[in-house]
């Protein structure tokens, strides 16, 4: 293992901790090169990235019982068509893509975006970009203008022309009226989301590089937070700072910034407020954003001015749980084996694993924030999966402090490799980080 042992006990001598690396001699660490295109370095190859993704999706379709996938999930649409439009439309259920066996994907998109795709996204045949609109999640009544009826009829005609109308059509997510209309017109529906998540679980070298670049951006934001984190600053001001810096770095979407301090740390509320940060607070943050679509989920915990013994004890325990999990990660290991080293819900004050879910677990990272694998005591003991090279996920731990209000939260983003793991998250986290110590 390598990469996650770069920490400082700030305010206590600046001790630096290094974990021994399992990277074989001669194997270079994963890179996070500059973001622009240059002629003198190998960086992200976007043509290779696009080919890899659509080929994986086509292979998943061929291995399924479906004749086609009909995709409404924004991340599945990007994975298959290599297109993206503003995040504000991501939950409106008006964009959809049809992937039929042996064919390039067809995309129905919003307004002038179709014309833009035809000009600038020419890896899909021009005729496969079509205008579409289904009503903004019911704002146009489904039984009024007939938008859903006409859309389903068009899809069915395409399936019929390819001899696929009698096979199941896989759906990832869908509005109920659209599903009812598909059934009314005689289409058999199956689940495509499982197949698409299977396709997306193994990341290519380009995807991993983009994930690493996204993490590097957050490394820099945490340095800014460490310098700004002083008494009198409000949680929402830290959120504003993080948003500004991420967009300056080139983020294409800041999905969420959690900022939690003082008495709000326990229980974990998963949000931010306008609370004024005070001397001696423990504070933790989660930065969730994407670069070229590839996301981070990256927690760090700070002491503000100083850290109490109770806060340090909580941090030490959270770090021990993290290191035990990282030590268990390697290719060929089952997710049940990793979950077994995580603390039980009762060990940190919860009545059962469902009540504690999301505090001691790992989740896949890619175009989506929560992909495969999901590793936790809630699901992995019953349904384990084998870790394979190319999987990327975020491991999270949390420990409440004995003072009843503070808590420590740590998260590391991990790539499974042939030889073990690489950790992408580099901001110091091995020891408590005290910001602006007195």
């Amino acid at each position: 293992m390598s990469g996650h042992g770069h920490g400082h006990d700030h305010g206590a001598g600046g001790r630096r901790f290094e974990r021994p690396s399992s990277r074989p001699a001669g194997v270079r660490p994963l890179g996070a090169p500059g973001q622009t295109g240059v002629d003198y370095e190998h960086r992200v190859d976007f043509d290779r990235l696009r080919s890899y993704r659509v080929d994986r999706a086509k292979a998943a379709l061929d291995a399924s019982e479906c004749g086609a996938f009909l995709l409404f999930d924004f991340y599945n649409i990007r994975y298959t068509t290599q297109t993206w439009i503003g995040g504000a439309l991501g939950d409106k259920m008006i964009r959809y893509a049809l992937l039929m066996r042996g064919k390039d994907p067809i995309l129905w998109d919003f307004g002038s975006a179709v014309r833009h795709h035809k000009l600038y996204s020419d890896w899909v045949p021009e005729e496969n970009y079509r205008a579409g609109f289904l009503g903004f999640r019911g704002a146009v009544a489904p039984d009024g203008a007939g938008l859903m009826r006409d859309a389903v009829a068009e899809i069915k005609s395409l399936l019929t022309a390819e001899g696929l109308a009698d096979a199941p059509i896989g759906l990832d997510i869908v509005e109920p009226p659209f599903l009812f209309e598909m059934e009314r017109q005689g289409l058999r529906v199956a689940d495509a989301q499982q197949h698409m998540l299977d396709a997306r679980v193994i990341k290519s070298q380009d995807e991993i590089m983009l994930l690493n670049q996204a993490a590097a951006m957050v490394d820099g934001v945490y340095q800014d937070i460490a310098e700004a984190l002083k008494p009198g600053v409000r949680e929402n001001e830290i959120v504003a700072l993080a948003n500004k810096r991420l967009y300056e770095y080139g983020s294409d979407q800041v999905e969420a910034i959690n900022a939690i301090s003082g008495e709000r740390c326990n229980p974990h509320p998963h949000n931010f407020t306008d609370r004024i940060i005070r001397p001696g607070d423990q504070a933790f943050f989660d930065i969730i954003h994407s670069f070229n679509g590839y996301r981070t989920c990256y927690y760090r915990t700070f002491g503000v001015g100083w850290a109490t013994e109770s806060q340090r004890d909580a941090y030490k325990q959270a770090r021990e749980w993290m290191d035990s999990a990282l030590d268990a990660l390697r290719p060929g290991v089952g997710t049940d084996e990793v979950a077994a080293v995580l603390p039980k819900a009762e060990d940190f004050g919860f009545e059962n694993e469902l009540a504690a879910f999301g505090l001691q677990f790992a989740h896949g990272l890619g175009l989506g924030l929560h992909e495969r694998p999901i590793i936790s005591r809630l699901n992995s003991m019953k349904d384990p999966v084998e870790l394979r090279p190319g999987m990327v996920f975020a491991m999270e731990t949390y420990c409440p402090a004995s003072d009843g209000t503070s808590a420590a939260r740590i998260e590391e983003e991990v790539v499974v490799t042939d030889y073990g793991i690489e950790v992408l998250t580099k901001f110091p986290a091995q020891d408590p980080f005290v910001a602006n110590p007195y």
Side-chain angles (χ1 to χ4, degrees), residues 268-305:
H268 184 356
H270 300 275
N271 61 9
F272 70 90
T273 70
D274 60 348
R275 181 184 181 274
I276 297 173
I277 294 170
R278 306 181 71 182
D281 276 351
Q282 198 163 36
F284 55 81
F285 307 90
D286 188 14
I287 298 180
I288 304 168
H289 87 107
S290 70
F291 176 63
N292 277 294
Y294 285 88
R295 292 179 189 272
T296 64
C297 191
Y298 188 163
Y299 272 99
R300 285 295 183 263
T301 297
F302 299 84
V304 181

Side-chain angles (χ1 to χ4, degrees), residues 96 132-136 140-154 178 181:
Y96 51 102
F133 179 65
L134 298 177
F136 282 144
V140 176
D143 56 355
L147 296 171
M148 290 187 177
R149 178 198 64 217
D150 294 345
V152 172
E154 183 180 8
F178 195 92
E181 184 60 36

Side-chain angles (χ1 to χ4, degrees), residues 135-188:
F136 282 144
R137 287 175 59 172
V140 176
D143 56 355
L147 296 171
M148 290 187 177
R149 178 198 64 217
D150 294 345
V152 172
E154 183 180 8
I155 291 165
K156 184 176 181 179
S157 70
L158 291 166
L159 295 172
T160 301
E162 297 299 326
L164 299 172
D166 293 332
I169 179 170
L171 277 173
D172 49 7
I173 56 177
V174 68
E175 286 188 86
F178 195 92
L179 175 61
F180 301 154
E181 184 60 36
M182 292 179 71
E183 293 173 337
R184 191 188 69 79
Q185 295 194 32
L187 295 174
R188 290 193 296 136

Side-chain angles (χ1 to χ4, degrees), residues 107 151 163 188 213 222 244 264 269 280 297 299 340 375 428:
L107 173 66
R188 290 193 296 136
Q213 289 175 316
Y222 271 125
K244 178 178 182 292
R264 297 186 64 246
C297 191
Y299 272 99
I375 306 174

Side-chain angles (χ1 to χ4, degrees), residues 32 37 84 118 150 153 215 227 249 279 294 317 373 378 403 417:
W84 177 256
K118 289 180 178 181
D150 294 345
E227 294 170 5
Y249 276 133
Y294 285 88
Q317 182 62 83
L378 181 65
D403 62 16
T417 70

Side-chain angles (χ1 to χ4, degrees), residues 6 112 115 183 245:
H6 298 174
S112 64
R115 290 190 178 183
E183 293 173 337
R245 290 297 288 130

